Amino acid sequence: MSSAQGFARPPLPAPPKRLSGAALFLDLDGVLAPLAPTPDAVGPEPRRTRTVEQLTHALGGRVAVVSGRTLAEIDRIVDGAARAASGVHGLERRRADGVLSARDPAPSVKTALAAFRDFAEARPGVLVEDKGLSAGLHFRQVPSQADAALTLATALAGETGLALQPGSMVLELKTPGSDKGTAVAAFMAEAPFVGATPVMVGDDLTDEAGFRAAEALGGFGVLVGPDRPTAARYRLENVEAVLDWLGALASAAVEEKEARA
C-alpha cells in the first residue's frame, strides 16, 4: 500500500502495554475469539473469560465488548464477563449499570432474510443468520460465492433501505442508524467511561467506525490481523497477541493502583 506521495506506509506498531486512564472497547470474533467456520462454532473459553473479568476489575469497569453479534451471543461467548456490551453493530446496547437500549428492527429485515435464505438454499455451505435487527449472509465455507453474495446484498440494500455492512466473509443488511462508532461514543458519554481515553480493538471493516470514534475522542484504534489501510494507529497479530496484551494492561493497571494506595 502507498501514500499519495508514493511512499509505502510504515507497518503499524504494537500498542503500548501501559495505558493510564484507558477505556477498552473490544470486538469479539477475530479479536477475543478466533474466527470459526460458523457463528455457532465459537463458545466460551476460560482464558478469555478470565482476561475480560480481570481487565474490567483493573480498569474500574471501563471495558465493553462491541460486536456484530447479539447481546445474547456476546454473553454466551464471554460467559457473562462483559458488564457493558453493544451488539448488532450498535443497534442494541447494555450500559455498565445494566440498563438496556435497542432500536426497533426495520420491517424490511424480513425481506432481506427471505432473499438470503433463497440464495443459501441453492448454495450449500452458505449460512443465513437472523439477528432480529439484521440479516447476515455468511460464505466463509464457500468463498467462491463472495461476488454473488455481494451482488445480491447490494441490490437488496438499494431496494430496502437497509444498511449494508461488509465483514469478514459475511455481508449483513441491518437496520440503519447505528454502528460501532456510535456505540463507542455513547459509552464514552456515560459512567464509568466518561473522561477516559478510548481504545477500540477490532479486526475487520465493521470496526473502522469504532477506530474513527476512538481517535476523535482522544484515543486510538488497534487493528488485529494482517496490516491493511485502516484508521487504527496500532496493530496486534492475532487473538493470542490480544489476550497477552490485555493481560499486560490489567497487570499494569493493578500495579498503578497499588502504587497510589
Side-chain angles (χ1 to χ4, degrees):
M1 72 192 75
S2 299
S3 68
Q5 291 76 29
F7 295 102
R9 178 175 65 77
L12 293 174
K17 293 185 178 180
R18 302 185 78 92
L19 291 173
S20 181
L24 272 292
F25 300 98
L26 309 172
D27 187 19
L28 188 51
D29 295 283
V31 174
L32 290 175
L35 295 172
T38 66
D40 292 344
V42 181
E45 193 275 323
R47 184 190 181 194
R48 179 191 312 130
T49 300
R50 184 172 62 253
T51 299
V52 174
E53 289 175 340
Q54 291 173 342
L55 193 62
T56 300
H57 177 72
L59 294 181
R62 299 190 306 272
V63 176
V65 172
V66 179
S67 173
R69 290 195 184 245
T70 64
L71 287 177
E73 280 289 279
I74 292 171
D75 289 343
R76 178 182 70 83
I77 293 168
V78 301
D79 206 17
R83 301 173 190 170
S86 172
V88 199
H89 311 287
L91 290 170
E92 54 180 17
R93 197 168 65 87
R94 182 174 64 228
R95 300 185 340 188
D97 61 8
V99 173
L100 295 169
S101 62
R103 291 181 177 267
D104 293 328
S108 49
V109 170
K110 293 182 179 179
T111 302
L113 279 169
F116 280 176
R117 285 169 176 152
D118 287 344
F119 181 89
E121 187 175 359
R123 296 165 176 84
V126 174
L127 301 176
V128 177
E129 186 177 13
D130 180 359
K131 299 182 184 179
L133 290 158
S134 73
L137 189 64
H138 296 262
F139 46 89
R140 181 172 300 278
Q141 298 183 82
V142 277
S144 61
Q145 295 300 320
D147 289 345
L150 180 59
T151 298
L152 172 63
T154 301
L156 284 169
E159 294 168 9
T160 63
L162 296 172
L164 174 57
Q165 178 62 72
S168 181
M169 305 299 284
V170 59
L171 294 166
E172 197 161 338
L173 287 172
K174 64 188 185 73
T175 301
S178 295
D179 57 30
K180 292 183 180 180
T182 61
V184 168
F187 280 123
M188 288 298 296
E190 304 164 350
F193 300 94
V194 65
T197 300
V199 178
M200 174 71 197
V201 187
D203 70 310
D204 66 18
L205 294 176
T206 70
D207 300 301
E208 291 296 326
F211 296 155
R212 292 191 294 269
E215 189 79 29
L217 292 166
F220 55 84
V222 179
L223 175 67
V224 180
D227 204 355
R228 58 170 171 77
T230 178
R233 202 186 304 177
Y234 299 99
R235 187 178 76 89
L236 290 166
E237 190 65 36
N238 51 35
V239 171
E240 285 300 308
V242 171
L243 295 176
D244 288 345
W245 178 65
L246 294 179
L249 287 182
S251 297
V254 169
E255 290 175 6
E256 288 182 13
K257 282 184 178 181
E258 292 175 347
R260 291 195 300 265

